[in-house]
Amino acid sequence: MSYDKELSVALQACLQAARLCERVRSTIPEAIEKVDRSPVTLADFGSQALICHRIHNEFPDDPIVAEENPKELVKPERADSLKQIVNYVKEENNDVDEKKIVEWIEYGNGHVGQRFWTLDPIDGTKGFIRRDQYAIALALIVDGDVKVGVLACPAYGNDGGLMFYAVRGKGAYSQSIKSFGTTIPTRIYVVTNDNINNFRFAESVESSHGDQAKQNEIARRIGIQTSPIRMDSQVKYGLVACGQAALYIRFPNPHNLNYRENIWDHAAGAIIVEEAGGKVTDMNGKILNFRDNEKMLDNRGIIVSNGIIHEQILEALKD
């Protein structure tokens, strides 16, 4: 199966969402506090509404498993926020009102199945709020295998951001968001230089998202001497895919060892790195399980590499 239509729809949906997110961010929005106390902005909801609406229109039988739930928006105290979201979304789709916004966001409350999409409307919300890196991450999963992945990274690079994307078996590509559709996509590859002294590794900005001491120790043990590149979101997958880093590691935080990763935080990035020639597993060398649950219950930690150093990382962890 070619998945050409799925890729085209996903790219256009993520481009719309990227434009909306940047408009919202230019106003320095205040965060809405979710039940779990993590920040979420008007852009998260607007992005999810646009993408879910487009995916549902084109593929009405495909469930969408997304991060946000509109129950936060239907509270009376959120009435003004809902109106603001409608206004932002209208700049991309004029046929919308408050009822439709809630309905479109609810399309993302689907369940994992044989074929489904998974979406993080803003991955790296804290980075978004502080005007740093974030990503809009969308992936199509069929029989547990990611077939299409798109990362819209509006703050990455110096020219209006980059889109990273891949289809299984067809390679990975990047293209400027600003000039998307008018320029030729660039085929991207992981770094293959065998001089490990030139390798960089990436990790999350938030120390609570991993075990930075252990991550730095493992990188040092395999010979990486440079300081880590710290970034929010799945932009780190893009770094590995385009050769700007050889490694991204995310080990469980020692204060929260029972934590399990969400599929929407890794599915899109994983296929892009793999199609660029890299490798993605958990810290035990197991492939990431996108088949059974929105949480990757069978996996612990994440290792994303150029492939060349992957076994070295796993061996260092055994010690």
Side-chain angles (χ1 to χ4, degrees), residues 208-253:
S208 61
H209 289 178
D211 184 342
Q212 291 184 346
K214 185 173 184 176
Q215 289 158 192
N216 280 263
E217 173 64 14
I218 291 296
R220 186 193 63 78
R221 285 194 183 193
I222 69 162
I224 295 179
Q225 303 297 324
T226 54
S227 299
I229 303 169
R230 288 181 174 159
M231 282 188 173
D232 297 285
S233 83
Q234 287 178 72
V235 175
K236 296 183 288 294
Y237 278 95
L239 285 180
V240 176
C242 70
Q244 296 298 307
L247 178 66
Y248 159 38
I249 38 182
R250 180 177 170 121
F251 299 147
N253 186 286

Coordinates of all heavy atoms in Angstrom, one line a residue, residues 208-253:
S208 N 12.8 16.1 34.9 CA 11.8 15.1 35.4 C 11.4 14.2 34.2 O 10.7 13.1 34.5 CB 10.5 15.8 35.9 OG 9.9 16.6 34.9
H209 N 11.8 14.5 33.0 CA 11.4 13.6 31.9 C 12.4 12.5 31.7 O 12.2 11.7 30.7 CB 11.3 14.4 30.6 CG 10.1 15.3 30.6 ND1 9.9 16.2 29.5 CD2 9.1 15.5 31.4 CE1 8.8 16.9 29.8 NE2 8.3 16.5 30.9
G210 N 13.4 12.4 32.5 CA 14.3 11.3 32.3 C 15.3 11.2 33.5 O 15.0 11.6 34.6
D211 N 16.4 10.6 33.3 CA 17.5 10.4 34.3 C 18.7 11.0 33.7 O 19.5 10.3 33.1 CB 17.6 9.0 34.6 CG 18.6 8.7 35.8 OD1 19.4 9.6 36.1 OD2 18.6 7.6 36.3
Q212 N 18.9 12.3 33.8 CA 20.0 13.0 33.1 C 21.3 12.5 33.6 O 22.3 12.4 32.7 CB 19.8 14.5 33.3 CG 18.7 15.1 32.6 CD 18.6 16.6 32.7 OE1 19.3 17.3 33.5 NE2 17.8 17.2 31.8
A213 N 21.5 12.2 34.8 CA 22.8 11.7 35.3 C 23.2 10.4 34.6 O 24.3 10.2 34.1 CB 22.8 11.5 36.8
K214 N 22.2 9.5 34.5 CA 22.5 8.2 33.9 C 22.6 8.3 32.4 O 23.5 7.7 31.8 CB 21.3 7.2 34.2 CG 21.5 5.8 33.7 CD 20.4 4.9 34.2 CE 20.6 3.5 33.8 NZ 19.5 2.6 34.3
Q215 N 21.8 9.2 31.8 CA 22.0 9.4 30.3 C 23.3 10.0 30.0 O 24.0 9.5 29.0 CB 20.9 10.4 29.9 CG 19.5 9.8 29.9 CD 18.3 10.8 30.0 OE1 17.2 10.4 30.3 NE2 18.6 12.0 29.9
N216 N 23.8 10.9 30.7 CA 25.2 11.5 30.5 C 26.3 10.5 30.7 O 27.2 10.4 30.0 CB 25.4 12.7 31.3 CG 24.7 14.0 30.8 OD1 25.4 14.8 30.1 ND2 23.4 14.1 31.0
E217 N 26.1 9.6 31.8 CA 27.1 8.6 32.1 C 27.2 7.6 30.9 O 28.3 7.2 30.5 CB 26.7 7.9 33.4 CG 27.6 6.7 33.7 CD 29.1 7.0 33.9 OE1 29.4 8.2 34.1 OE2 29.9 6.1 33.9
I218 N 26.0 7.1 30.4 CA 26.0 6.2 29.3 C 26.7 6.8 28.1 O 27.5 6.1 27.4 CB 24.6 5.7 29.0 CG1 24.1 4.8 30.2 CG2 24.5 4.9 27.7 CD1 24.8 3.5 30.4
A219 N 26.3 8.0 27.8 CA 26.9 8.7 26.6 C 28.5 8.8 26.8 O 29.2 8.5 25.8 CB 26.4 10.1 26.4
R220 N 28.9 9.1 28.0 CA 30.3 9.2 28.2 C 31.0 7.8 28.1 O 32.1 7.7 27.5 CB 30.6 9.7 29.7 CG 32.0 10.0 30.0 CD 32.2 10.2 31.5 NE 31.9 9.0 32.3 CZ 32.7 8.0 32.4 NH1 33.8 7.9 31.8 NH2 32.3 7.0 33.1
R221 N 30.3 6.8 28.5 CA 30.9 5.4 28.5 C 31.2 4.9 27.1 O 32.1 4.2 26.8 CB 30.0 4.4 29.2 CG 30.1 4.5 30.7 CD 29.5 3.3 31.4 NE 29.5 3.4 32.8 CZ 29.2 2.4 33.6 NH1 28.9 1.2 33.1 NH2 29.2 2.6 34.9
I222 N 30.4 5.4 26.1 CA 30.6 5.0 24.7 C 31.5 5.9 24.0 O 31.7 5.8 22.8 CB 29.3 4.7 24.0 CG1 28.5 6.0 23.7 CG2 28.4 3.7 24.7 CD1 27.5 5.9 22.6
G223 N 32.0 7.0 24.7 CA 32.9 7.9 24.1 C 32.4 9.2 23.6 O 33.2 10.0 23.1
I224 N 31.2 9.5 23.9 CA 30.7 10.9 23.5 C 31.1 11.9 24.6 O 30.7 11.7 25.8 CB 29.1 10.9 23.4 CG1 28.7 10.0 22.2 CG2 28.6 12.3 23.2 CD1 27.2 9.9 22.0
Q225 N 31.9 12.8 24.2 CA 32.5 13.8 25.2 C 31.8 15.1 25.2 O 32.0 15.9 26.1 CB 34.0 14.0 24.8 CG 34.8 12.7 24.8 CD 34.9 12.0 26.1 OE1 34.9 12.7 27.1 NE2 34.9 10.7 26.1
T226 N 31.0 15.4 24.2 CA 30.3 16.7 24.1 C 29.2 16.8 25.1 O 28.6 15.8 25.5 CB 29.9 17.0 22.7 OG1 29.0 15.9 22.3 CG2 31.0 17.1 21.7
S227 N 28.8 18.1 25.4 CA 27.7 18.3 26.3 C 26.4 18.0 25.5 O 26.3 18.1 24.3 CB 27.6 19.8 26.7 OG 28.8 20.1 27.4
P228 N 25.3 17.5 26.2 CA 24.1 17.2 25.5 C 23.4 18.4 24.9 O 23.5 19.5 25.4 CB 23.2 16.6 26.7 CG 23.8 17.2 27.9 CD 25.2 17.4 27.7
I229 N 22.7 18.1 23.9 CA 21.7 19.1 23.3 C 20.4 18.9 24.0 O 19.8 17.8 23.9 CB 21.6 18.9 21.8 CG1 22.9 18.9 21.1 CG2 20.6 19.9 21.2 CD1 22.8 18.4 19.6
R230 N 20.0 19.9 24.7 CA 18.7 19.7 25.5 C 17.6 20.5 24.7 O 17.7 21.7 24.5 CB 18.9 20.2 26.9 CG 19.7 19.3 27.7 CD 19.9 19.7 29.1 NE 20.6 18.7 29.9 CZ 21.3 18.9 31.0 NH1 21.3 20.1 31.5 NH2 21.9 17.9 31.6
M231 N 16.6 19.7 24.4 CA 15.4 20.3 23.6 C 14.1 19.6 24.1 O 14.1 18.5 24.6 CB 15.6 20.0 22.1 CG 16.5 20.8 21.4 SD 16.4 20.5 19.6 CE 17.4 21.8 18.9
D232 N 13.1 20.4 24.0 CA 11.7 19.8 24.3 C 11.3 19.1 23.0 O 11.7 19.3 21.9 CB 10.8 21.0 24.5 CG 11.1 21.8 25.8 OD1 10.9 21.2 26.9 OD2 11.6 22.9 25.6
S233 N 10.4 18.1 23.3 CA 9.6 17.5 22.2 C 10.3 16.5 21.3 O 11.5 16.3 21.5 CB 8.9 18.6 21.4 OG 9.8 19.0 20.4
Q234 N 9.5 16.0 20.4 CA 10.1 15.1 19.4 C 11.0 15.7 18.4 O 11.5 15.1 17.4 CB 9.0 14.3 18.7 CG 8.3 13.3 19.6 CD 7.1 12.6 18.9 OE1 7.3 11.7 18.0 NE2 5.9 12.9 19.3
V235 N 11.2 17.0 18.5 CA 12.3 17.6 17.7 C 13.6 16.9 17.8 O 14.4 16.8 16.8 CB 12.5 19.1 18.0 CG1 13.6 19.7 17.2 CG2 11.2 19.9 17.8
K236 N 13.8 16.3 18.9 CA 15.0 15.5 19.2 C 15.1 14.3 18.2 O 16.2 13.9 17.8 CB 15.1 15.0 20.6 CG 15.2 16.1 21.6 CD 15.3 15.6 23.0 CE 14.1 15.0 23.6 NZ 13.0 16.0 23.8
Y237 N 14.0 13.7 17.8 CA 14.0 12.7 16.8 C 14.5 13.3 15.5 O 15.2 12.6 14.7 CB 12.6 12.1 16.6 CG 12.2 11.0 17.6 CD1 11.5 11.3 18.8 CD2 12.5 9.7 17.4 CE1 11.1 10.3 19.7 CE2 12.1 8.7 18.3 CZ 11.5 9.0 19.4 OH 11.1 8.0 20.3
G238 N 14.0 14.5 15.2 CA 14.4 15.1 14.0 C 15.9 15.4 13.9 O 16.6 15.2 12.9
L239 N 16.5 15.7 15.1 CA 17.9 16.0 15.2 C 18.7 14.7 14.8 O 19.7 14.8 14.0 CB 18.3 16.3 16.6 CG 18.0 17.7 17.1 CD1 18.5 17.9 18.5 CD2 18.7 18.8 16.2
V240 N 18.3 13.6 15.3 CA 18.9 12.3 15.0 C 18.7 11.9 13.5 O 19.6 11.5 12.8 CB 18.5 11.2 15.9 CG1 19.1 9.8 15.5 CG2 18.8 11.5 17.3
A241 N 17.5 12.1 13.0 CA 17.2 11.7 11.6 C 18.0 12.5 10.6 O 18.3 12.0 9.6 CB 15.7 11.9 11.4
C242 N 18.2 13.8 10.9 CA 19.0 14.6 9.9 C 20.4 14.7 10.2 O 21.2 15.5 9.6 CB 18.3 16.0 9.8 SG 18.6 17.1 11.2
G243 N 20.9 13.9 11.2 CA 22.4 13.9 11.4 C 22.9 14.9 12.3 O 24.2 15.1 12.4
Q244 N 22.1 15.7 13.0 CA 22.6 16.7 13.9 C 23.0 16.2 15.3 O 23.7 16.8 16.0 CB 21.5 17.8 14.1 CG 21.2 18.6 12.8 CD 22.5 19.3 12.3 OE1 23.1 20.1 13.0 NE2 22.8 19.1 11.0
A245 N 22.5 15.0 15.5 CA 22.9 14.2 16.7 C 22.9 12.8 16.4 O 22.2 12.3 15.5 CB 21.9 14.5 17.9
A246 N 23.7 12.0 17.1 CA 23.8 10.6 16.8 C 22.9 9.8 17.8 O 22.7 8.6 17.5 CB 25.3 10.1 17.0
L247 N 22.4 10.4 18.8 CA 21.8 9.7 19.9 C 20.8 10.6 20.6 O 21.1 11.8 20.9 CB 22.8 9.2 20.9 CG 22.4 8.4 22.1 CD1 21.7 7.1 21.7 CD2 23.6 8.2 23.0
Y248 N 19.6 10.0 21.0 CA 18.7 10.6 21.9 C 18.3 9.6 22.9 O 17.9 8.5 22.5 CB 17.5 11.2 21.1 CG 16.2 11.3 21.9 CD1 16.2 11.8 23.3 CD2 14.9 11.1 21.4 CE1 15.1 12.0 24.0 CE2 13.8 11.2 22.1 CZ 13.9 11.7 23.4 OH 12.7 11.9 24.2
I249 N 18.5 9.8 24.2 CA 18.2 8.8 25.2 C 17.3 9.4 26.2 O 17.4 10.6 26.6 CB 19.5 8.3 25.9 CG1 20.6 9.3 26.1 CG2 20.0 7.1 25.1 CD1 21.8 8.8 26.7
R250 N 16.4 8.6 26.7 CA 15.4 9.0 27.7 C 15.1 7.8 28.6 O 14.4 6.9 28.3 CB 14.1 9.4 27.0 CG 12.9 9.9 27.9 CD 11.8 10.3 27.0 NE 10.6 10.6 27.7 CZ 9.9 11.7 27.7 NH1 10.4 12.8 27.1 NH2 8.8 11.9 28.4
F251 N 15.8 7.8 29.8 CA 15.6 6.8 30.7 C 14.6 7.2 31.8 O 14.4 8.3 32.0 CB 17.0 6.4 31.4 CG 18.0 6.0 30.4 CD1 19.4 6.3 30.7 CD2 17.7 5.2 29.3 CE1 20.3 5.8 29.8 CE2 18.7 4.8 28.4 CZ 20.0 5.1 28.7
P252 N 14.0 6.2 32.4 CA 13.0 6.5 33.5 C 13.6 7.4 34.6 O 14.7 7.1 35.1 CB 12.5 5.1 34.0 CG 12.8 4.2 32.9 CD 14.1 4.7 32.2
N253 N 12.8 8.4 35.0 CA 13.3 9.2 36.1 C 13.3 8.3 37.4 O 12.4 7.6 37.6 CB 12.3 10.3 36.3 CG 12.8 11.3 37.4 OD1 12.7 11.0 38.6 ND2 13.2 12.5 37.0

